[in-house]
Amino acid sequence: MTRQTAGPIPERRRLELALQAAGLGEFEWDMDRDLFVVSDRMAAITGLPPGEIPARGGEALDRYVHPEDLEIYRAARGDSLAAGDTYDVEFRQLRADDGRIVWMRSSGLMVPGPDGKPSCATGFVQDITARKLEEAQRHTLMAELDHRVKNVLAAVQALAVQTAKRTTSLESFLQNFGGRLKAMASANELLTAARWRGAAVDHLVAAELGALAPGQTVWNGPELFLTPRAANALSLALHELATNAVKFGALSMETGQVAVRWSRLANGGFELHWTESGGPTVAPPERRGFGSTLLDQVTGRELNGETLVEYRPAGVHARLSAGHAAVAPRPETVPKAPVARVVETVATSTGPTNLKGWRVLIVEDAVLLALELETGLSDAGATIVGPAYELEEAMALLDRPIDAAVLDANLNGRSVLPVAEALAARQIPFVFATGYGENGGAPGGFDAPVIRKPYDVTQVAAAVAELLRARAA
C-alpha cells in the first residue's frame, strides 16, 4: 500500500486554526445591514449568542461593557469610524451569559465602501483577564516592595543615628553599626527565601551563632516561625547578646558556653532563653549603650512581649518572651539553614591586614561598593586590578597578573561564574562578596569563602589575605 500524505491545509481552515491557537474570536459589523456577526469562537469568549444580532448603530454591545470603561470603549470606536482606520481597546466586559467581569481586548479594522465611507468592520476579541490579573499582582508587589524598602531604609537610618549617639570613635561606630546591619540582612535573607511569609527561629539563631565560636554554642527548640517584624527584632536582639558575649562574656574565653533554648507558650507566643556559662565573672555594665536600650525597650515591644536581661555572676541570662502576634504560620517555602563558609562582619583582632605586593582583581557592578573595595584593599597595601563592572570587562582583565580576586555573584543580571571558572583553572583564589542568599554553599559549588552584603571591607581584606596565606603554605 502506498501511504497517503495530507495535502496543504486550505487557507480558510488555516486561518481558523490560527485564531483558535491564539485564543481569538472573530467578528464582523455589517454597517449597511446594521448587524453584528458573532462567530462561535467569539461567543465562547464573550458569552454572547453566536450568529447575527442587531447592531443598533454599533451600540448593541455597549450594555455588556463595564460602566467605568464605557467612555473609553465608545471613544475608540468613534475615533476609528471618523478616521476610517483601525482601533485597539482594552476594557472590562460583563459576560452576557453569567455576568462575570472579565477583561477583553477588541481590535478591528474599518473597511470603506464604494463611497469611501466605512461600510463594515472586522476584527477579533481576546480574553486578557489573566494578563490583567498578573499586571495587578505585579503592581501590588511593587508597591509592597517600595513599602518594605522604605521601612528598611528608615530602620537603617534609625540604627545609624542611635549607634552614632552612643559611640565615641569612628572605628567603634563602623564596627557596631556594621554588625547590626548584618543582623538585619540575615533576617531579611531568610524572609526573602520564604517569600516573606516567616522566618524560622532556629535559622535566625544559626545565622547569628553558626560561624561564631564553633563548639561553644548550642541551640534547640521546636520548629517556630516568626513574622517579618518579629524576625528582625529577634535577629537584632541575638546580635546584641552575641556581641556582648564575644567582648565581655562567655565567648571571650575558650571555656565559655552559650546555650539558646526556646519553647512555645500556651497563649500562642514563645519564650527564648539565652544562658552564658564558663566565662568571666559578670557584673552589670556601668554604662548603658544602644544595645542595652534596644534589648530593654525595642525587642519586647516589637515581639509583643517583654525582655529581661540578668547579669548573674556566673554569666548573662536573657529571657525574651513574645506574644502570639509574633508567630507566623509555617510558610509553604521553608529555606534550608545556610551552610556556606561565611565571613562574619566583625572587626578582626589580629591587627591590620597586610596585602602589600599582592594584585587583587575586583569584580563588582555597584560603583560605590567597588570604590569602597578599591579604597579598603589599597589601604591594606594591595595593587588593584580593575575594578570591572561588567562581565566582559572582567573577562578582558584575566590576562593580567592576578594573585586573588573579589567577585560579586551577579553583574547586572549576569552570572560571574565564567570569571570564577577561569580563575579556578589558573588556580587563583577568590572570594564571593554577594547579596544573594546561597543555602547550598558558594555560587557554582566552588570551595570559596562567601561574604554576605552588607559587609565590612576590612573583613574582605582579611579573607583575601587568608586565601593568599593558604595558597603560599
Side-chain angles (χ1 to χ4, degrees), residues 20-75:
Q20 182 178 347
L24 304 177
E26 72 277 19
F27 68 87
E28 182 179 338
W29 176 15
D30 187 335
M31 299 177 188
D32 293 334
R33 295 191 298 154
D34 197 26
L35 291 174
F36 278 125
V37 181
V38 178
S39 69
D40 291 340
R41 274 182 292 273
M42 179 176 175
I45 293 172
T46 63
L48 291 166
E52 296 181 347
I53 59 174
R56 295 206 297 272
E59 296 183 357
L61 304 183
D62 289 7
R63 63 192 180 104
Y64 300 114
V65 178
H66 194 284
E68 294 179 5
D69 298 339
L70 185 56
E71 184 178 348
I72 297 173
Y73 176 77
R74 284 176 171 171

Side-chain angles (χ1 to χ4, degrees), residues 189-210:
E189 184 177 314
L190 292 169
L191 288 167
T192 300
R195 299 179 183 177
W196 277 79
R197 296 293 188 271
V201 173
D202 60 329
H203 290 178
L204 293 168
V205 177
E208 190 59 45
L209 298 181

